[in-house]
Each structure stands twice: as C-alpha cells, then as structure tokens.
Amino acid sequence: MSVERVRIFDTTLRDGEQAPGCSMTLREKLRVAKALSELNVDIIEAGFPAASPGDFESVKAIADENFGPVICGLARCNPNDIEKVYAAVKGSEHHRIHVFVATSAIHREHKLKMAKEEIIKSAVGAVRMARDLCNDVEFSPEDASRTELSYLAEVVAAAIEAGATTVNIPDTVGYTVPGEFDRLFRYLKQHVPGIDDITLSVHCHNDLGMAVANSLAAVAAGARQIECTINGIGERAGNCSLEEVVMALKTRAEFFELDTAIDTTRLYPSSRLVSSITGMHVPRNKAIVGENAFAHEAGIHQHGMLQHASTYEIMRPEDVGISRSNLVLGKHSGRHAFRDRVRELGFDLDEFEANRAFQEFKKLADRKKDVYDSDIEAIIMSADSTSPGPWALASLQVNTRTGEDAEADVSLQGEGGEESRGTAQGDGPIAASFLALEKATGVDLVLRNFEVHSTSIGEDAQGEVTVAVEHDGASYRGHGTSVDIVEAGARAYLEVINRVLRRAQSNAAPRSGPGDASRATI
Ligand code: KIV
Ligand code: ZN
C-alpha cells in the first residue's frame, strides 16, 4: 500500500482564537504552540498580525521560539498586512505568509464592492509581494465553496502563476456537502494549470456539522493539507476538528491510503490544554476526546469488550493519549507515583513546576479521598494559569440562608505582606464573594460568563470555575479549582483582578481579544 502524507495545518491560534470567548493571553498562546509542536503538526497558523499590536506580538513570540513547525501568519491582500506578517514570522526558521481575499459573488458585491478582475489583480499583487519576502506563500479565496467554479479556477490559476506554493480552498460558511466538495476539488485538479505543482489545501467550517466529512472528501479528491483546530474551536460552529480528522485518516488508512505526521498519543493532552485555557468544555460524547468516547456502559458491550476489545472499539484509548487505567492516587501516594502519573498524562514539568504541583496534590489529597487523573490535570493547568499577584486569597467566609441575601467576608494578602478585607452582600454566595473581592481590591468588573464543571466523579469532586469578565473595554478570563465551588469562583475572579491590576501597573499593551477595540476582524 503506497501511503502519501497529508499536512496538518493547525489554526487553533488564529481561526480558533477568533471565536467568541476563546481569546488567549500571550503566555497561553505560547503553551498551545508548544503543545502543537509536540503533537507534530506541520504548520501553526499563529495569528493575524495586522489585527492588533497584541496579535503581532504573540505571532512574533511564537515564531521566535522556533518550536519546529512552519509558523504562519494571516494577511489581507494589502502591503501593510503582508509586511506585518513577515516581520512577525521571520524569526522562525520555517515561516509562511498566508494571504486571502474573498471571491464569491456575495462577498464581491456586498463586502468588497470589487469586480472580478480587481480581485484577481489584488490577489496576484499580494502573492507576488509575499513571494518577494518569503518562499512559502499560501493563498486562500475566501468563500470558495460559494464561488462560480470557472471564476474560482481563474483566481487559483492566477495565484499559482504569481507564485503561491499552497492554495487553500475554504468552505468559509460551512455550506458545502461532501459530494459537492469532491466535485469542486476534481474540477480544480482538471482545469487549473500548475495545480499539481503546489499543495492543495482544505479549510472547512462546521455550520452544518460537516467540516470533518467535507475535509475528508477534499483529501480523497486530491487535497494534501487540512486546516483544522484542536477540539474544532472556531468562528460560529467551529472549524474541522484536528483530532477527528487525524484519527479518521489513521483508523481508515486502508480506505484513504494517506498518513499524517501527528503523534496521536498527544491528542488528548492537547485537547485538555485547549479546553482548559479557553474554558470551552469538550462535550462528553465528543468523538475521540470526549469523556464517553471510550466508555462502555451497556452490559452486552462490556461483555464483548471483555472477550475482545475490537468488538466495540475501533481505536484504542492509548492511541489518542487516554490512559486505560485511570489510576486513583490518594494522600499516601508519594512523589514518585505522582510524577509517574503526571508523565503518563503527557505533561513535561521541570523540577520547580513538579514540586509545586506535588504540594498542591498533597493539599488536595487531604481534602478529598481519591485524586483522579482529571484532578491532577486541573492542578497542573491551574498552577500554570495562577497569576503571581499582587493579591492572594488568605480566607473566605460565606454565610447563606434560604430566602436571604448571602454575606461574604474576604481577606487578601498582598505581595509585601499587607492585608486587605472586603465584606459584601449579594443574591447568592458567588455574587457576594465577587463583590467582596471588588471591595477589597478596588477593581470593578463586569461579569459576562460564569461556568462551573466538575473535574472528576464522586461527592468530593473538585469544581472548576471559568469566569469571563470585562474591564475598561478589554476581555479577561480566569480559572479556579477547588472542592468548594464558591472558593473556586473566588479564585477565578481574583485571578482576573490580579491581571487587571498588573496591567494597570505596567501600563502594558492591551491583550488581544474580542474586547480589544483596536483589533481588526476578518
Ligand atoms: O474561513 C475562511 O475562509 C478563513 C480564511 C481566512 C482562510 O478562515
Ligand atoms: Zn476559517
């Protein structure tokens, strides 16, 4: 069986991060970029540098780390965008400029107000300029799937002639269906001169739930690059999910006769990382990485599984990085057992991080009998996102009584040992503690979203709280974990308050995110 390679182009940090509520800090983006390189993706689209100074800085920081994969930045067809991408990505040994312009009649008439010829001219000029700066240039005709086929072929031919080395065909609004997309790719293969000399790519959105199916139809018809995101995060219903499309190619290799370079055992840790950072929870029944993806409840299935796993399992959990044992640790577990477990879960901690995580594990094991894998993951993630101050939670006391306002009394300790207290009443214990924290710190926030999830099972399971807030037109997200969900909420809120205060102190540039008014959108 001859097996060809399909490149995996990850756009979690660009198209994924563009989704409401998914914006990430620079530090979080660096963590995700490192995880993507451990997953062995071929290309990381790190952002859209012209969108805001924060976006530029984060693409540059990722490129300068030289993690290994090609680092790519997105640009509209104008010199400023293209120069900004080049300046941001050039620090990476392997870099790419990705230019795009919309081509469908709907976009031409209503968005761009440009004639067909003007669009071709703009695409050609942009690709030529990008090629003068960099050997690796990708061109995307936005809304390709709703563009007249003959015109699409003309645009693609012109981009190839101008020097594009990859041509990406986006189903921007998730409108196409597999049979139709198959015809589109075969049409381009037949009618575009030079198409066999470049890499043909596919980029699907999930509005009708067909992003993965459409991407697979495209590769069956000749595409050799798939653009996708971890957990399928992205605009509206999201993008093609990386873990699903990769495992479909692997599991049905005899059908597709294609392969990727992905280390599939890193899929689950990458999924957990992105979910924890963005606060976008993975549904239990999500293919590949959902909690139930490898759970067998029905007796007849369990019986079959005991006879032979292949009766009801087409993939092995360990192939995607899920451990079968889900070993439980407790307060008598030692440092070695803890570190082994951390390593098996796919985390690579240095000495300092490992010691800090072990201390947190010990504290947790005192409060809860069984410590599960998901608890350990939560410890590591929250250690990473724990903000360094200025305020730390010293104590929190909350009184509630049915039918009456709750009362919270919070005490904080500052970096120099100073103390601050706040007391407040609110509709419930969470509202009262958030108000008390605002009083203690003098920071007023507007709460936009509050989510709480249990990290494991049992009565003493930990609650993981994610809050999304606004302050001075900027958006922030914070996380907190505790066996007490009110405390978890307070920790998440305090994390955000600390970030606001640090930003005010350093007068740093605004973080990228939907709340950043200076951020351009596509
Ligand atoms: O969905 C889309 O069309 C895009 C392009 C910019 C590639 O994200
Ligand atoms: Zn897109």
Side-chain angles (χ1 to χ4, degrees):
M1 183 172 79
S2 89
V3 173
E4 262 188 77
R5 256 282 293 286
V6 174
R7 288 173 194 211
I8 296 299
F9 174 115
D10 181 277
T11 183
T12 305
L13 294 171
R14 200 278 297 169
D15 224 350
E17 207 247 355
Q18 242 168 259
C22 284
S23 61
M24 302 175 212
T25 62
L26 171 58
R27 190 152 169 257
E28 290 167 342
K29 286 182 187 177
L30 281 166
R31 272 214 81 180
V32 171
K34 181 160 182 280
L36 292 172
S37 62
E38 284 163 4
L39 191 58
N40 213 22
V41 304
D42 298 278
I43 302 111
I44 295 176
E45 187 165 51
F48 180 18
S52 74
D55 281 47
F56 178 88
E57 284 313 321
S58 52
V59 176
K60 183 165 174 356
I62 291 168
D64 291 350
E65 284 289 333
N66 247 306
F67 284 124
V70 175
I71 301 300
C72 172
L74 183 68
R76 289 162 294 196
C77 287
N78 68 61
N80 176 55
D81 276 30
I82 296 168
E83 275 159 14
K84 284 221 164 84
V85 170
Y86 181 63
V89 298
K90 69 176 185 211
S92 169
E93 190 184 342
H94 307 290
H95 49 266
R96 173 180 294 187
I97 301 176
H98 179 188
V99 294
F100 78 99
V101 63
T103 50
S104 66
I106 300 172
H107 282 239
R108 289 194 312 262
E109 284 156 29
H110 302 293
K111 184 176 93 174
L112 299 175
K113 305 199 187 334
M114 279 165 82
K116 283 180 172 174
E117 304 69 40
E118 281 179 279
I119 285 172
I120 295 189
K121 211 169 143 204
S122 154
V124 165
V127 170
R128 283 206 184 120
M129 178 180 172
R131 262 316 286 268
D132 283 345
L133 296 167
C134 163
N135 283 332
D136 188 346
V137 172
E138 174 168 330
F139 171 71
S140 290
E142 191 190 6
D143 207 16
S145 54
R146 292 193 299 168
T147 301
E148 306 87 321
L149 272 183
S150 60
Y151 177 58
L152 181 65
E154 230 184 291
V155 180
V156 170
I160 294 174
E161 167 85 36
T165 47
T166 297
V167 172
N168 175 47
I169 304 298
D171 179 28
T172 303
V173 288
Y175 181 71
T176 199
V177 294
E180 181 185 60
F181 220 30
D182 170 89
R183 284 208 298 274
L184 185 154
F185 274 81
R186 289 186 198 278
Y187 179 91
L188 292 179
K189 288 286 252 181
Q190 263 177 16
H191 292 87
V192 176
I195 201 156
D196 291 331
D197 303 329
I198 54 109
T199 303
L200 193 53
S201 166
V202 60
H203 176 113
C204 292
H205 282 265
N206 204 31
D207 299 65
L208 292 173
M210 284 185 279
V212 172
N214 288 333
S215 303
L216 291 171
V219 290
R224 289 295 175 266
Q225 173 179 287
I226 301 175
E227 303 202 350
C228 44
T229 60
I230 301 285
N231 297 336
I233 63 168
E235 293 273 10
R236 307 178 307 278
N239 287 55
C240 170
S241 137
L242 184 149
E243 55 282 356
E244 291 180 21
V245 85
V246 164
M247 287 312 288
L249 289 174
K250 184 176 165 112
T251 309
R252 300 306 313 276
E254 88 300 342
F255 178 81
F256 288 104
E257 299 186 357
L258 293 167
D259 198 5
T260 70
I262 295 296
D263 174 358
T264 61
T265 64
R266 307 293 308 171
L267 287 172
Y268 183 68
S270 312
S271 161
R272 293 287 306 147
L273 177 73
V274 170
S275 150
S276 151
I277 285 178
T278 59
M280 291 277 273
H281 284 273
V282 173
R284 273 176 187 271
N285 64 339
K286 163 98 165 62
I288 317 298
V289 291
E291 242 172 89
N292 288 358
F294 294 93
H296 302 273
E297 188 75 28
I300 191 166
H301 287 202
Q302 288 179 349
H303 177 72
M305 284 289 295
L306 289 174
Q307 306 300 313
H308 202 284
S310 68
T311 48
Y312 287 100
E313 228 170 51
I314 58 167
M315 298 163 275
R316 294 178 314 161
E318 47 271 45
D319 291 342
V320 303
I322 297 177
S323 131
R324 245 184 227 276
S325 65
N326 200 11
L327 208 80
V328 176
L329 299 184
K331 68 174 170 189
H332 299 299
S333 306
R335 195 177 289 268
H336 279 299
F338 177 74
R339 282 201 81 161
D340 285 352
R341 199 74 208 125
V342 166
R343 235 174 269 121
E344 277 166 32
L345 289 172
F347 294 100
D348 178 19
L349 304 186
D350 62 28
E351 203 55 33
F352 175 79
E353 292 166 331
N355 282 338
R356 180 165 156 172
F358 184 66
Q359 299 309 326
E360 290 304 315
F361 159 73
K362 279 291 182 192
K363 277 192 224 157
L364 180 64
D366 270 342
R367 293 178 83 177
K368 128 186 238 296
K369 194 168 141 273
D370 296 326
V371 178
Y372 295 94
D373 288 351
S374 45
D375 292 318
I376 298 175
E377 284 167 359
I379 287 174
I380 294 166
M381 303 295 187
S382 68
D384 191 69
S385 66
T386 299
S387 53
W391 292 110
L393 187 67
S395 75
L396 169 67
Q397 190 186 325
V398 186
N399 297 322
T400 54
R401 186 190 286 265
T402 318
E404 287 178 19
D405 274 358
E407 277 178 8
D409 181 349
V410 65
S411 166
L412 303 178
Q413 182 150 40
E415 284 164 324
E418 68 278 25
E419 280 179 21
S420 181
R421 272 188 75 176
T423 52
Q425 294 191 328
D427 290 341
I430 301 277
S433 353
F434 286 6
L435 271 173
L437 282 168
E438 291 187 359
K439 283 196 178 159
T441 57
V443 176
D444 290 339
L445 303 175
V446 180
L447 183 66
R448 291 283 177 224
N449 195 28
F450 175 94
E451 280 181 40
V452 58
H453 289 264
S454 123
T455 60
S456 57
I457 51 173
E459 287 162 8
D460 59 356
Q462 291 200 96
E464 184 181 30
V465 170
T466 306
V467 292
V469 306
E470 268 177 39
H471 178 80
D472 260 358
S475 308
Y476 297 83
R477 219 181 24 257
H479 308 276
T481 310
S482 168
V483 287
D484 171 349
I485 59 163
V486 180
E487 183 186 323
R491 289 189 183 282
Y493 211 65
L494 186 60
E495 186 189 320
V496 170
I497 288 176
N498 277 333
R499 239 188 252 162
V500 169
L501 289 170
R502 285 204 308 279
R503 183 159 138 190
Q505 275 165 7
S506 66
N507 214 1
R511 65 170 300 203
S512 63
D516 177 356
S518 64
R519 192 184 215 207
T521 50
I522 295 173

